[in-house]
Amino acid sequence: MARSSPLLLAAFTLFFLLVAPSLAADPDMLQDICVADLSSGVKVNGFACKANVTEDDFFFKGLATPGATNNTMGSLVTGANVEKIPGLNTLGVSMARIDYAPGGLNPPHTHPRATEMVFVLEGTLDVGFITTANKLVAKTITKGETFVFPRGLVHFQKNNGNVPAAVISAFNSQLPGTQSIAVTLFTSNPPVPDNVLTKAFQIGTKEVEKIKSRLAPKKS
Ligand code: MN
């Protein structure tokens, strides 16, 4: 009666092989709370739990006010992740606020550990991501609207309006991580060798040096 058919077994195996990777995200929690001890020397996946917990470990007011956008890109990301809210440790979610000056750009970047959803608080943005098949998926979104950037894919937001814009971002990771493409390639420490960049971008050493100097962190 309970003899399983080889076909059924094969179907189940295939099902789990296909589904298991798509469930990949921050690992599930094993206890109610594990408030991050950000100063612990213990190395674990995430942060070690601290002993004395207060309500402030679950609180952050940093998204209440616009971030200063008077910088080179004309945008500022304010993270509300486990580094700011220790109570997020092991919970697999976080948020951010992004402010954009008129003309401001959140330059092309990826989050290795999270899908991102943005909700437009104010203004209008031209947003997009690029698939691994090199297709640009782009749209203009405005106040009250939402857009999704799938995990790991390069994406950007640009404020082409003449008033400031702002979004709230949601992530399915306590610490999504951000790699900004240009900054990663041209300002890493130690630097990526010039001959890698000249060949990759099909430009000369002078152009590489020019980009490096313009993207270098401003001395204040
Ligand atoms: Mn992003």
Side-chain angles (χ1 to χ4, degrees), residues 106 109 111 116 149 155 157 171:
N106 185 12
H109 63 278
H111 305 290
E116 173 176 11
F149 305 105
H155 60 279
Q157 302 103 29
F171 300 94

Side-chain angles (χ1 to χ4, degrees), residues 2-63:
R3 207 159 55 90
S4 57
S5 87
L7 192 65
L8 201 64
L9 196 65
F12 267 108
T13 307
L14 187 64
F15 176 77
F16 283 109
L17 280 174
L18 290 174
V19 166
S22 69
L23 294 175
D26 280 13
D28 210 354
M29 55 211 279
L30 300 175
Q31 57 226 315
D32 284 358
I33 58 173
C34 172
V35 175
D37 182 351
L38 297 171
S39 59
S40 169
V42 178
K43 297 296 177 197
V44 293
N45 189 22
F47 296 95
C49 316
K50 72 175 185 180
N52 298 314
V53 172
T54 75
E55 61 276 17
D56 283 336
D57 291 316
F58 298 87
F59 172 79
F60 183 59
K61 62 180 179 183
L63 303 191

Side-chain angles (χ1 to χ4, degrees), residues 100 118 120 124-129 136-141 146-149 155-158 160 167:
Y100 314 82
V118 294
V120 183
T124 298
L125 292 162
D126 293 322
V127 306
F129 65 84
L136 173 67
V137 178
K139 195 167 174 67
T140 301
I141 58 172
T146 298
F147 198 79
V148 176
F149 305 105
H155 60 279
F156 58 86
Q157 302 103 29
K158 175 82 160 59
N160 286 319
V167 304

